[in-house]
Amino acid sequence: LKSLGVDVVVTGGQTMNPSTADLVEAARKVNAAEIVFLPNNKNIVMAANAAVSVLEVPSIVIPTRSVPEAFAAMLAYDDSEPLDELLAEMTEAYEDVITVEVTTAIKDAKGSKVGDISEGQTMAIVNAADIEAVGGDITSVVLDVLAKVGTDEHETLTILAGEDFTDAQTDMLVTEIRESYEDLEIETHRGDQPLY
C-alpha cells in the first residue's frame, strides 16, 4: 500500500479492528490538506466515517472491504482531483475487484452452500461473504474458486501469500494457475497476514 502512495497504514485484520480514535490519530500524523480513508474491511467502514466527522481537514471514505480493493482504488488515485470526484473514481475502480480469502476451517460446519465442512479442510471465501469452494489443499481450492467466480472479465490475479504459505508454495500455485489461465496476469506479494 505504501508503494502505491498510502501515507499511513493502521494495523488491523480479523478480530483486530482499529477504533475511530486509532484512525483519527493516524490521520493527524499525515501532513495533508485532504485525507482519503481506505478501511479494507467492512467492519471498519463505520469507524472511518466517524473519523471523517471529527477531523479538521476535508476527508472521505472509500469503503473498501479488502486490501485488493484498496490496491485497485489507489491505482485510480489522482491528487489533483477534488474529493467528490476521487470518491467516484476510486469507488468505481475497486467495485470490479473480486476478493478471495483462502483459509483452513477451524471446526466442522454443516449445511454451508458447498456442503458440510470438516475441521482442517481448506476453504475459499468470496468477497468476505460466501464460502464458494472447499477441498483438501490450497491449489485445488484456488482452481475451483477461480472457475466458479470466472476470470473472463478480469486481467490480473494478485496473490498475497499469508505468513504460513512459503515462497516455494506460492511459486507452485502460480504454475498450476498458469496452466489453466494462460491469459491471466499473475502478481505475487508477501502479505504475511495470519489466517487467510
Side-chain angles (χ1 to χ4, degrees):
L1 288 169
K2 286 189 175 188
S3 72
L4 292 172
V6 172
D7 291 308
V8 176
V9 175
V10 178
T11 303
Q14 300 301 91
T15 72
M16 301 180 292
N17 297 333
S19 67
T20 299
D22 294 332
L23 298 178
V24 168
E25 180 183 337
R28 288 185 172 145
K29 290 179 184 175
V30 178
N31 182 19
E34 300 173 330
I35 296 177
V36 176
F37 285 92
L38 302 166
N40 304 340
N41 184 310
K42 66 182 180 181
N43 297 329
I44 302 171
V45 173
M46 192 178 338
N49 284 323
V52 164
S53 72
V54 299
L55 286 171
E56 303 79 19
V57 298
S59 307
I60 58 171
V61 176
I62 310 298
T64 54
R65 298 162 300 173
S66 66
V67 171
E69 288 181 355
F71 288 166
M74 283 305 299
L75 291 172
Y77 177 76
D78 179 350
D79 64 0
S80 68
E81 299 279 349
L83 284 179
D84 59 337
E85 289 182 29
L86 270 179
L87 178 61
E89 290 171 12
M90 293 176 77
T91 299
E92 182 180 342
Y94 88 74
E95 286 180 334
D96 288 334
V97 172
I98 297 172
T99 301
V100 176
E101 297 168 299
V102 180
T103 190
T104 303
I106 58 170
K107 62 181 180 179
D108 294 346
K110 297 203 178 289
S112 80
K113 180 178 179 179
V114 293
D116 294 346
I117 301 170
S118 299
E119 179 182 347
Q121 280 190 300
T122 301
M123 58 186 182
I125 303 164
V126 176
N127 291 330
D130 297 318
I131 299 171
E132 293 287 344
V134 175
D137 64 273
I138 290 173
T139 300
S140 66
V141 168
V142 168
L143 292 173
D144 186 14
V145 78
L146 287 175
K148 288 179 179 176
V149 300
T151 60
D152 294 343
E153 296 178 17
H154 294 86
E155 299 171 359
T156 306
L157 170 65
T158 303
I159 298 173
L160 303 174
E163 67 183 4
D164 294 330
F165 204 62
T166 68
D167 290 341
Q169 289 172 305
T170 303
D171 292 342
M172 288 178 14
L173 176 61
V174 169
T175 299
E176 291 288 332
I177 295 169
R178 282 203 173 110
E179 286 181 14
S180 300
Y181 301 94
E182 297 171 2
D183 296 333
L184 199 59
E185 180 183 332
I186 303 172
E187 299 177 355
T188 61
H189 301 278
R190 290 271 3 132
D192 289 325
Q193 66 278 11
L195 307 176
Y196 294 86

